mmCIF file of all heavy atoms in Angstrom:
data_model
loop_
_atom_site.group_PDB
_atom_site.id
_atom_site.type_symbol
_atom_site.label_atom_id
_atom_site.label_comp_id
_atom_site.label_asym_id
_atom_site.label_seq_id
_atom_site.Cartn_x
_atom_site.Cartn_y
_atom_site.Cartn_z
ATOM 1 N N LEU A 1 8.997 -4.218 -4.930
ATOM 2 C CA LEU A 1 9.342 -5.469 -5.686
ATOM 3 C C LEU A 1 10.796 -5.757 -5.448
ATOM 4 O O LEU A 1 11.195 -6.951 -5.282
ATOM 5 C CB LEU A 1 9.077 -5.256 -7.159
ATOM 6 C CG LEU A 1 9.413 -6.484 -8.079
ATOM 7 C CD1 LEU A 1 8.553 -7.684 -7.645
ATOM 8 C CD2 LEU A 1 9.191 -6.148 -9.515
ATOM 9 N N LYS A 2 11.689 -4.764 -5.454
ATOM 10 C CA LYS A 2 13.122 -4.944 -5.210
ATOM 11 C C LYS A 2 13.382 -5.552 -3.803
ATOM 12 O O LYS A 2 14.180 -6.462 -3.598
ATOM 13 C CB LYS A 2 13.833 -3.649 -5.341
ATOM 14 C CG LYS A 2 15.368 -3.692 -5.077
ATOM 15 C CD LYS A 2 16.058 -4.484 -6.239
ATOM 16 C CE LYS A 2 17.563 -4.308 -6.207
ATOM 17 N NZ LYS A 2 18.196 -4.720 -5.020
ATOM 18 N N TYR A 3 12.606 -5.080 -2.837
ATOM 19 C CA TYR A 3 12.746 -5.611 -1.510
ATOM 20 C C TYR A 3 12.387 -7.071 -1.450
ATOM 21 O O TYR A 3 13.169 -7.912 -0.849
ATOM 22 C CB TYR A 3 11.799 -4.812 -0.515
ATOM 23 C CG TYR A 3 11.739 -5.411 0.873
ATOM 24 C CD1 TYR A 3 12.771 -5.190 1.783
ATOM 25 C CD2 TYR A 3 10.713 -6.259 1.220
ATOM 26 C CE1 TYR A 3 12.722 -5.765 3.072
ATOM 27 C CE2 TYR A 3 10.614 -6.791 2.486
ATOM 28 C CZ TYR A 3 11.595 -6.536 3.407
ATOM 29 O OH TYR A 3 11.530 -7.113 4.613
ATOM 30 N N HIS A 4 11.234 -7.479 -2.059
ATOM 31 C CA HIS A 4 10.860 -8.897 -2.004
ATOM 32 C C HIS A 4 11.832 -9.727 -2.841
ATOM 33 O O HIS A 4 12.104 -10.925 -2.476
ATOM 34 C CB HIS A 4 9.427 -9.054 -2.622
ATOM 35 C CG HIS A 4 8.351 -8.591 -1.633
ATOM 36 N ND1 HIS A 4 8.027 -9.351 -0.557
ATOM 37 C CD2 HIS A 4 7.549 -7.527 -1.608
ATOM 38 C CE1 HIS A 4 7.042 -8.779 0.142
ATOM 39 N NE2 HIS A 4 6.708 -7.631 -0.529
ATOM 40 N N TRP A 5 12.383 -9.130 -3.870
ATOM 41 C CA TRP A 5 13.383 -9.851 -4.671
ATOM 42 C C TRP A 5 14.644 -10.156 -3.859
ATOM 43 O O TRP A 5 15.122 -11.264 -3.853
ATOM 44 C CB TRP A 5 13.748 -9.032 -5.949
ATOM 45 C CG TRP A 5 14.769 -9.653 -6.819
ATOM 46 C CD1 TRP A 5 16.091 -9.426 -6.846
ATOM 47 C CD2 TRP A 5 14.544 -10.664 -7.783
ATOM 48 N NE1 TRP A 5 16.716 -10.197 -7.730
ATOM 49 C CE2 TRP A 5 15.823 -10.941 -8.386
ATOM 50 C CE3 TRP A 5 13.402 -11.339 -8.283
ATOM 51 C CZ2 TRP A 5 15.950 -11.859 -9.400
ATOM 52 C CZ3 TRP A 5 13.539 -12.233 -9.297
ATOM 53 C CH2 TRP A 5 14.763 -12.527 -9.844
ATOM 54 N N ASP A 6 15.066 -9.152 -3.108
ATOM 55 C CA ASP A 6 16.268 -9.335 -2.285
ATOM 56 C C ASP A 6 16.013 -10.357 -1.120
ATOM 57 O O ASP A 6 16.887 -11.058 -0.695
ATOM 58 C CB ASP A 6 16.743 -8.008 -1.673
ATOM 59 C CG ASP A 6 17.206 -7.059 -2.788
ATOM 60 O OD1 ASP A 6 17.592 -7.511 -3.878
ATOM 61 O OD2 ASP A 6 17.166 -5.816 -2.501
ATOM 62 N N GLN A 7 14.802 -10.304 -0.587
ATOM 63 C CA GLN A 7 14.427 -11.182 0.480
ATOM 64 C C GLN A 7 14.049 -12.587 0.018
ATOM 65 O O GLN A 7 13.801 -13.481 0.820
ATOM 66 C CB GLN A 7 13.231 -10.616 1.284
ATOM 67 C CG GLN A 7 13.544 -9.304 1.988
ATOM 68 C CD GLN A 7 14.642 -9.405 3.022
ATOM 69 O OE1 GLN A 7 14.649 -10.365 3.758
ATOM 70 N NE2 GLN A 7 15.584 -8.432 2.985
ATOM 71 N N GLN A 8 13.997 -12.784 -1.345
ATOM 72 C CA GLN A 8 13.667 -14.093 -1.923
ATOM 73 C C GLN A 8 12.271 -14.520 -1.417
ATOM 74 O O GLN A 8 12.037 -15.765 -1.146
ATOM 75 C CB GLN A 8 14.671 -15.114 -1.628
ATOM 76 C CG GLN A 8 16.033 -14.748 -2.263
ATOM 77 C CD GLN A 8 17.086 -15.874 -2.084
ATOM 78 O OE1 GLN A 8 16.915 -16.790 -1.322
ATOM 79 N NE2 GLN A 8 18.221 -15.776 -2.773
ATOM 80 N N THR A 9 11.355 -13.612 -1.370
ATOM 81 C CA THR A 9 9.975 -13.929 -0.944
ATOM 82 C C THR A 9 9.389 -14.870 -1.990
ATOM 83 O O THR A 9 8.628 -15.854 -1.661
ATOM 84 C CB THR A 9 9.128 -12.655 -0.878
ATOM 85 O OG1 THR A 9 9.734 -11.719 -0.004
ATOM 86 C CG2 THR A 9 7.710 -13.047 -0.372
ATOM 87 N N PHE A 10 9.678 -14.682 -3.266
ATOM 88 C CA PHE A 10 9.156 -15.455 -4.333
ATOM 89 C C PHE A 10 10.275 -16.154 -5.045
ATOM 90 O O PHE A 10 11.331 -15.550 -5.339
ATOM 91 C CB PHE A 10 8.363 -14.594 -5.328
ATOM 92 C CG PHE A 10 7.308 -13.795 -4.707
ATOM 93 C CD1 PHE A 10 7.416 -12.424 -4.548
ATOM 94 C CD2 PHE A 10 6.127 -14.392 -4.258
ATOM 95 C CE1 PHE A 10 6.424 -11.659 -3.947
ATOM 96 C CE2 PHE A 10 5.095 -13.613 -3.633
ATOM 97 C CZ PHE A 10 5.260 -12.251 -3.476
ATOM 98 N N ARG A 11 10.028 -17.431 -5.427
ATOM 99 C CA ARG A 11 11.073 -18.149 -6.144
ATOM 100 C C ARG A 11 11.027 -17.856 -7.628
ATOM 101 O O ARG A 11 12.028 -18.060 -8.361
ATOM 102 C CB ARG A 11 10.808 -19.697 -5.988
ATOM 103 C CG ARG A 11 11.039 -20.188 -4.593
ATOM 104 C CD ARG A 11 12.536 -20.423 -4.309
ATOM 105 N NE ARG A 11 13.071 -21.346 -5.250
ATOM 106 C CZ ARG A 11 12.974 -22.668 -5.072
ATOM 107 N NH1 ARG A 11 12.342 -23.218 -4.001
ATOM 108 N NH2 ARG A 11 13.537 -23.506 -5.917
ATOM 109 N N GLU A 12 9.907 -17.282 -8.083
ATOM 110 C CA GLU A 12 9.787 -17.031 -9.537
ATOM 111 C C GLU A 12 8.810 -15.848 -9.690
ATOM 112 O O GLU A 12 7.754 -15.711 -9.069
ATOM 113 C CB GLU A 12 9.212 -18.218 -10.311
ATOM 114 C CG GLU A 12 9.155 -18.012 -11.755
ATOM 115 C CD GLU A 12 8.700 -19.253 -12.537
ATOM 116 O OE1 GLU A 12 7.548 -19.633 -12.328
ATOM 117 O OE2 GLU A 12 9.494 -19.807 -13.222
ATOM 118 N N VAL A 13 9.277 -14.852 -10.549
ATOM 119 C CA VAL A 13 8.421 -13.703 -10.920
ATOM 120 C C VAL A 13 8.228 -13.768 -12.417
ATOM 121 O O VAL A 13 9.189 -13.657 -13.181
ATOM 122 C CB VAL A 13 9.090 -12.378 -10.506
ATOM 123 C CG1 VAL A 13 8.197 -11.209 -10.921
ATOM 124 C CG2 VAL A 13 9.312 -12.360 -8.965
ATOM 125 N N LEU A 14 6.975 -13.877 -12.843
ATOM 126 C CA LEU A 14 6.637 -13.954 -14.278
ATOM 127 C C LEU A 14 5.986 -12.689 -14.729
ATOM 128 O O LEU A 14 5.261 -12.067 -13.967
ATOM 129 C CB LEU A 14 5.680 -15.188 -14.541
ATOM 130 C CG LEU A 14 6.269 -16.540 -14.267
ATOM 131 C CD1 LEU A 14 5.206 -17.611 -14.543
ATOM 132 C CD2 LEU A 14 7.515 -16.804 -15.047
ATOM 133 N N VAL A 15 6.246 -12.309 -15.991
ATOM 134 C CA VAL A 15 5.704 -11.082 -16.545
ATOM 135 C C VAL A 15 5.016 -11.433 -17.875
ATOM 136 O O VAL A 15 5.583 -12.139 -18.723
ATOM 137 C CB VAL A 15 6.775 -10.009 -16.785
ATOM 138 C CG1 VAL A 15 6.171 -8.784 -17.441
ATOM 139 C CG2 VAL A 15 7.549 -9.708 -15.504
ATOM 140 N N PHE A 16 3.802 -11.013 -18.078
ATOM 141 C CA PHE A 16 3.050 -11.172 -19.315
ATOM 142 C C PHE A 16 2.955 -9.839 -19.991
ATOM 143 O O PHE A 16 2.448 -8.858 -19.482
ATOM 144 C CB PHE A 16 1.618 -11.729 -19.078
ATOM 145 C CG PHE A 16 1.643 -13.178 -18.503
ATOM 146 C CD1 PHE A 16 1.758 -13.367 -17.131
ATOM 147 C CD2 PHE A 16 1.523 -14.254 -19.351
ATOM 148 C CE1 PHE A 16 1.736 -14.648 -16.618
ATOM 149 C CE2 PHE A 16 1.509 -15.553 -18.853
ATOM 150 C CZ PHE A 16 1.633 -15.724 -17.492
ATOM 151 N N GLN A 17 3.423 -9.805 -21.288
ATOM 152 C CA GLN A 17 3.398 -8.539 -22.052
ATOM 153 C C GLN A 17 2.930 -8.816 -23.513
ATOM 154 O O GLN A 17 3.232 -9.916 -24.063
ATOM 155 C CB GLN A 17 4.763 -7.971 -22.054
ATOM 156 C CG GLN A 17 5.313 -7.560 -20.731
ATOM 157 C CD GLN A 17 6.803 -7.209 -20.767
ATOM 158 O OE1 GLN A 17 7.629 -8.075 -21.085
ATOM 159 N NE2 GLN A 17 7.165 -5.954 -20.381
ATOM 160 N N TYR A 18 2.338 -7.761 -24.105
ATOM 161 C CA TYR A 18 1.991 -7.867 -25.498
ATOM 162 C C TYR A 18 3.068 -7.206 -26.362
ATOM 163 O O TYR A 18 3.636 -6.153 -25.970
ATOM 164 C CB TYR A 18 0.668 -7.080 -25.780
ATOM 165 C CG TYR A 18 -0.560 -7.882 -25.348
ATOM 166 C CD1 TYR A 18 -1.567 -7.154 -24.629
ATOM 167 C CD2 TYR A 18 -0.757 -9.170 -25.636
ATOM 168 C CE1 TYR A 18 -2.761 -7.814 -24.236
ATOM 169 C CE2 TYR A 18 -1.926 -9.876 -25.244
ATOM 170 C CZ TYR A 18 -2.898 -9.152 -24.553
ATOM 171 O OH TYR A 18 -4.048 -9.802 -24.172
ATOM 172 N N TYR A 19 3.294 -7.729 -27.524
ATOM 173 C CA TYR A 19 4.132 -7.136 -28.597
ATOM 174 C C TYR A 19 3.247 -6.990 -29.818
ATOM 175 O O TYR A 19 2.561 -7.875 -30.260
ATOM 176 C CB TYR A 19 5.349 -7.998 -28.895
ATOM 177 C CG TYR A 19 6.461 -7.944 -27.868
ATOM 178 C CD1 TYR A 19 6.286 -8.528 -26.634
ATOM 179 C CD2 TYR A 19 7.614 -7.260 -28.095
ATOM 180 C CE1 TYR A 19 7.300 -8.379 -25.635
ATOM 181 C CE2 TYR A 19 8.664 -7.113 -27.184
ATOM 182 C CZ TYR A 19 8.467 -7.717 -25.902
ATOM 183 O OH TYR A 19 9.463 -7.610 -24.981
ATOM 184 N N ARG A 20 3.264 -5.797 -30.388
ATOM 185 C CA ARG A 20 2.397 -5.522 -31.565
ATOM 186 C C ARG A 20 3.248 -5.435 -32.817
ATOM 187 O O ARG A 20 4.433 -5.092 -32.756
ATOM 188 C CB ARG A 20 1.606 -4.252 -31.336
ATOM 189 C CG ARG A 20 2.518 -3.004 -31.157
ATOM 190 C CD ARG A 20 1.658 -1.785 -30.746
ATOM 191 N NE ARG A 20 2.408 -0.565 -30.746
ATOM 192 C CZ ARG A 20 1.936 0.600 -30.317
ATOM 193 N NH1 ARG A 20 0.680 0.635 -29.852
ATOM 194 N NH2 ARG A 20 2.643 1.678 -30.369
ATOM 195 N N PRO A 21 2.662 -5.729 -33.942
ATOM 196 C CA PRO A 21 3.379 -5.724 -35.237
ATOM 197 C C PRO A 21 3.805 -4.331 -35.607
ATOM 198 O O PRO A 21 3.125 -3.365 -35.334
ATOM 199 C CB PRO A 21 2.388 -6.289 -36.213
ATOM 200 C CG PRO A 21 1.045 -6.102 -35.663
ATOM 201 C CD PRO A 21 1.223 -6.161 -34.118
ATOM 202 N N VAL A 22 4.933 -4.230 -36.246
ATOM 203 C CA VAL A 22 5.479 -2.940 -36.665
ATOM 204 C C VAL A 22 5.343 -2.689 -38.087
ATOM 205 O O VAL A 22 5.333 -1.540 -38.576
ATOM 206 C CB VAL A 22 6.968 -2.796 -36.271
ATOM 207 C CG1 VAL A 22 7.116 -2.764 -34.775
ATOM 208 C CG2 VAL A 22 7.836 -3.873 -36.847
ATOM 209 N N ALA A 23 5.225 -3.718 -38.884
ATOM 210 C CA ALA A 23 5.055 -3.629 -40.406
ATOM 211 C C ALA A 23 4.411 -4.826 -40.948
ATOM 212 O O ALA A 23 4.350 -5.898 -40.304
ATOM 213 C CB ALA A 23 6.425 -3.371 -41.020
ATOM 214 N N ALA A 24 3.890 -4.689 -42.158
ATOM 215 C CA ALA A 24 3.275 -5.789 -42.860
ATOM 216 C C ALA A 24 4.160 -6.960 -43.092
ATOM 217 O O ALA A 24 3.718 -8.145 -43.085
ATOM 218 C CB ALA A 24 2.585 -5.318 -44.143
ATOM 219 N N GLU A 25 5.445 -6.679 -43.312
ATOM 220 C CA GLU A 25 6.392 -7.763 -43.580
ATOM 221 C C GLU A 25 6.854 -8.513 -42.355
ATOM 222 O O GLU A 25 7.527 -9.533 -42.471
ATOM 223 C CB GLU A 25 7.611 -7.227 -44.319
ATOM 224 C CG GLU A 25 8.330 -6.153 -43.533
ATOM 225 C CD GLU A 25 7.828 -4.764 -43.890
ATOM 226 O OE1 GLU A 25 6.757 -4.642 -44.469
ATOM 227 O OE2 GLU A 25 8.528 -3.746 -43.575
ATOM 228 N N GLY A 26 6.412 -8.072 -41.191
ATOM 229 C CA GLY A 26 6.779 -8.838 -39.947
ATOM 230 C C GLY A 26 7.469 -7.959 -38.933
ATOM 231 O O GLY A 26 7.784 -6.732 -39.183
ATOM 232 N N GLY A 27 7.794 -8.522 -37.785
ATOM 233 C CA GLY A 27 8.466 -7.841 -36.745
ATOM 234 C C GLY A 27 7.485 -7.299 -35.684
ATOM 235 O O GLY A 27 6.315 -6.953 -35.980
ATOM 236 N N PHE A 28 7.883 -7.364 -34.433
ATOM 237 C CA PHE A 28 7.019 -6.938 -33.316
ATOM 238 C C PHE A 28 7.831 -6.040 -32.407
ATOM 239 O O PHE A 28 9.023 -6.157 -32.261
ATOM 240 C CB PHE A 28 6.563 -8.191 -32.511
ATOM 241 C CG PHE A 28 5.632 -9.103 -33.258
ATOM 242 C CD1 PHE A 28 6.079 -10.093 -34.118
ATOM 243 C CD2 PHE A 28 4.227 -8.859 -33.175
ATOM 244 C CE1 PHE A 28 5.194 -10.906 -34.784
ATOM 245 C CE2 PHE A 28 3.338 -9.690 -33.863
ATOM 246 C CZ PHE A 28 3.860 -10.713 -34.667
ATOM 247 N N VAL A 29 7.092 -5.143 -31.720
ATOM 248 C CA VAL A 29 7.703 -4.252 -30.718
ATOM 249 C C VAL A 29 6.812 -4.262 -29.548
ATOM 250 O O VAL A 29 5.579 -4.413 -29.608
ATOM 251 C CB VAL A 29 7.802 -2.838 -31.350
ATOM 252 C CG1 VAL A 29 6.428 -2.254 -31.660
ATOM 253 C CG2 VAL A 29 8.577 -1.885 -30.452
ATOM 254 N N LEU A 30 7.424 -4.032 -28.330
ATOM 255 C CA LEU A 30 6.727 -4.015 -27.098
ATOM 256 C C LEU A 30 5.603 -2.974 -27.044
ATOM 257 O O LEU A 30 5.860 -1.799 -27.424
ATOM 258 C CB LEU A 30 7.689 -3.832 -25.933
ATOM 259 C CG LEU A 30 7.099 -3.740 -24.534
ATOM 260 C CD1 LEU A 30 6.428 -5.100 -24.137
ATOM 261 C CD2 LEU A 30 8.142 -3.352 -23.496
ATOM 262 N N ASP A 31 4.455 -3.371 -26.683
ATOM 263 C CA ASP A 31 3.387 -2.383 -26.492
ATOM 264 C C ASP A 31 3.708 -1.371 -25.424
ATOM 265 O O ASP A 31 4.116 -1.833 -24.296
ATOM 266 C CB ASP A 31 2.057 -3.139 -26.113
ATOM 267 C CG ASP A 31 0.843 -2.239 -26.209
ATOM 268 O OD1 ASP A 31 0.914 -1.095 -25.704
ATOM 269 O OD2 ASP A 31 -0.174 -2.720 -26.707
ATOM 270 N N PRO A 32 3.677 -0.115 -25.701
ATOM 271 C CA PRO A 32 4.073 0.898 -24.632
ATOM 272 C C PRO A 32 3.339 0.786 -23.347
ATOM 273 O O PRO A 32 3.891 1.042 -22.271
ATOM 274 C CB PRO A 32 3.775 2.211 -25.331
ATOM 275 C CG PRO A 32 3.809 1.920 -26.780
ATOM 276 C CD PRO A 32 3.322 0.519 -26.951
ATOM 277 N N ARG A 33 2.145 0.246 -23.363
ATOM 278 C CA ARG A 33 1.362 0.127 -22.141
ATOM 279 C C ARG A 33 1.903 -1.016 -21.231
ATOM 280 O O ARG A 33 1.592 -1.064 -20.066
ATOM 281 C CB ARG A 33 -0.105 -0.130 -22.517
ATOM 282 C CG ARG A 33 -0.832 1.042 -23.177
ATOM 283 C CD ARG A 33 -2.216 0.683 -23.694
ATOM 284 N NE ARG A 33 -2.095 -0.323 -24.757
ATOM 285 C CZ ARG A 33 -3.117 -0.785 -25.470
ATOM 286 N NH1 ARG A 33 -4.325 -0.387 -25.177
ATOM 287 N NH2 ARG A 33 -2.956 -1.709 -26.378
ATOM 288 N N ASP A 34 2.636 -1.879 -21.830
ATOM 289 C CA ASP A 34 3.156 -3.063 -21.119
ATOM 290 C C ASP A 34 4.656 -2.861 -20.763
ATOM 291 O O ASP A 34 5.319 -3.828 -20.304
ATOM 292 C CB ASP A 34 2.992 -4.325 -21.883
ATOM 293 C CG ASP A 34 1.539 -4.713 -22.065
ATOM 294 O OD1 ASP A 34 0.733 -4.078 -21.458
ATOM 295 O OD2 ASP A 34 1.282 -5.665 -22.820
ATOM 296 N N ARG A 35 5.170 -1.632 -20.868
ATOM 297 C CA ARG A 35 6.558 -1.412 -20.590
ATOM 298 C C ARG A 35 6.796 -1.329 -19.134
ATOM 299 O O ARG A 35 6.070 -0.692 -18.394
ATOM 300 C CB ARG A 35 7.033 -0.107 -21.256
ATOM 301 C CG ARG A 35 8.500 0.152 -21.234
ATOM 302 C CD ARG A 35 8.865 1.360 -22.018
ATOM 303 N NE ARG A 35 8.526 1.225 -23.405
ATOM 304 C CZ ARG A 35 9.278 0.667 -24.360
ATOM 305 N NH1 ARG A 35 10.448 0.143 -23.943
ATOM 306 N NH2 ARG A 35 8.904 0.601 -25.558
ATOM 307 N N LEU A 36 7.880 -1.965 -18.622
ATOM 308 C CA LEU A 36 8.304 -1.947 -17.214
ATOM 309 C C LEU A 36 9.541 -1.069 -17.075
ATOM 310 O O LEU A 36 10.130 -0.701 -18.069
ATOM 311 C CB LEU A 36 8.536 -3.318 -16.683
ATOM 312 C CG LEU A 36 7.332 -4.244 -16.450
ATOM 313 C CD1 LEU A 36 7.739 -5.661 -16.234
ATOM 314 C CD2 LEU A 36 6.424 -3.656 -15.364
ATOM 315 N N ASP A 37 9.909 -0.801 -15.812
ATOM 316 C CA ASP A 37 11.122 -0.070 -15.526
ATOM 317 C C ASP A 37 12.321 -0.757 -16.103
ATOM 318 O O ASP A 37 12.427 -2.043 -16.059
ATOM 319 C CB ASP A 37 11.213 0.164 -14.055
ATOM 320 C CG ASP A 37 12.202 1.291 -13.739
ATOM 321 O OD1 ASP A 37 13.434 1.010 -13.757
ATOM 322 O OD2 ASP A 37 11.721 2.363 -13.411
ATOM 323 N N ASP A 38 13.341 -0.006 -16.541
ATOM 324 C CA ASP A 38 14.584 -0.617 -17.030
ATOM 325 C C ASP A 38 15.379 -1.386 -15.950
ATOM 326 O O ASP A 38 16.224 -2.154 -16.317
ATOM 327 C CB ASP A 38 15.515 0.529 -17.595
ATOM 328 C CG ASP A 38 15.039 1.020 -18.965
ATOM 329 O OD1 ASP A 38 14.218 0.316 -19.552
ATOM 330 O OD2 ASP A 38 15.465 2.032 -19.344
ATOM 331 N N SER A 39 15.008 -1.215 -14.738
ATOM 332 C CA SER A 39 15.746 -1.900 -13.716
ATOM 333 C C SER A 39 15.375 -3.389 -13.688
ATOM 334 O O SER A 39 16.089 -4.198 -13.058
ATOM 335 C CB SER A 39 15.441 -1.311 -12.325
ATOM 336 O OG SER A 39 14.049 -1.358 -12.043
ATOM 337 N N ILE A 40 14.233 -3.735 -14.281
ATOM 338 C CA ILE A 40 13.810 -5.147 -14.271
ATOM 339 C C ILE A 40 14.417 -5.780 -15.521
ATOM 340 O O ILE A 40 14.087 -5.410 -16.670
ATOM 341 C CB ILE A 40 12.324 -5.240 -14.274
ATOM 342 C CG1 ILE A 40 11.703 -4.568 -12.974
ATOM 343 C CG2 ILE A 40 11.840 -6.705 -14.357
ATOM 344 C CD1 ILE A 40 10.219 -4.628 -12.955
ATOM 345 N N ILE A 41 15.238 -6.773 -15.351
ATOM 346 C CA ILE A 41 15.830 -7.531 -16.456
ATOM 347 C C ILE A 41 15.019 -8.814 -16.675
ATOM 348 O O ILE A 41 14.856 -9.611 -15.729
ATOM 349 C CB ILE A 41 17.314 -7.825 -16.137
ATOM 350 C CG1 ILE A 41 18.033 -6.537 -15.716
ATOM 351 C CG2 ILE A 41 17.953 -8.492 -17.352
ATOM 352 C CD1 ILE A 41 17.927 -5.452 -16.744
ATOM 353 N N LEU A 42 14.583 -9.044 -17.897
ATOM 354 C CA LEU A 42 13.699 -10.180 -18.189
ATOM 355 C C LEU A 42 14.388 -11.187 -19.101
ATOM 356 O O LEU A 42 15.189 -10.828 -19.940
ATOM 357 C CB LEU A 42 12.424 -9.662 -18.915
ATOM 358 C CG LEU A 42 11.534 -8.679 -18.142
ATOM 359 C CD1 LEU A 42 10.374 -8.216 -18.979
ATOM 360 C CD2 LEU A 42 11.052 -9.223 -16.800
ATOM 361 N N GLU A 43 13.961 -12.439 -18.861
ATOM 362 C CA GLU A 43 14.400 -13.480 -19.744
ATOM 363 C C GLU A 43 13.150 -14.117 -20.454
ATOM 364 O O GLU A 43 12.286 -14.660 -19.710
ATOM 365 C CB GLU A 43 15.091 -14.595 -18.933
ATOM 366 C CG GLU A 43 15.494 -15.826 -19.785
ATOM 367 C CD GLU A 43 15.939 -17.037 -18.944
ATOM 368 O OE1 GLU A 43 15.617 -16.998 -17.741
ATOM 369 O OE2 GLU A 43 16.506 -17.948 -19.512
ATOM 370 N N PRO A 44 13.036 -13.982 -21.754
ATOM 371 C CA PRO A 44 11.837 -14.530 -22.413
ATOM 372 C C PRO A 44 11.752 -16.042 -22.234
ATOM 373 O O PRO A 44 12.756 -16.765 -22.406
ATOM 374 C CB PRO A 44 12.016 -14.153 -23.857
ATOM 375 C CG PRO A 44 12.957 -12.973 -23.866
ATOM 376 C CD PRO A 44 13.909 -13.269 -22.688
ATOM 377 N N LEU A 45 10.540 -16.588 -21.920
ATOM 378 C CA LEU A 45 10.362 -18.022 -21.740
ATOM 379 C C LEU A 45 9.492 -18.602 -22.840
ATOM 380 O O LEU A 45 9.760 -19.736 -23.267
ATOM 381 C CB LEU A 45 9.679 -18.259 -20.409
ATOM 382 C CG LEU A 45 10.502 -17.898 -19.167
ATOM 383 C CD1 LEU A 45 9.664 -18.157 -17.880
ATOM 384 C CD2 LEU A 45 11.811 -18.639 -19.109
#
């Protein structure tokens, strides 16, 4: 993925992830199954 990113093979890379609730009063946390490597920096859209 890093190679294609450097070569600009794709103009846009989108990521779909689930966040699950952490408590009854609210708040969400990333589902562990949808976690990516820390090297990928995401901007929520």
Side-chain angles (χ1 to χ4, degrees):
L1 180 61
K2 180 68 166 59
Y3 171 80
H4 284 288
W5 179 264
D6 293 339
Q7 297 298 316
Q8 297 185 349
T9 306
F10 306 106
R11 292 280 300 278
E12 184 176 68
V13 178
L14 297 179
V15 180
F16 292 87
Q17 296 169 301
Y18 284 135
Y19 283 72
R20 60 188 188 186
V22 294
E25 58 271 14
F28 292 87
V29 65
L30 178 64
D31 192 315
R33 293 170 296 183
D34 293 352
R35 189 177 297 277
L36 288 170
D37 196 282
D38 283 344
S39 62
I40 300 180
I41 309 303
L42 302 177
E43 175 191 17
L45 297 178

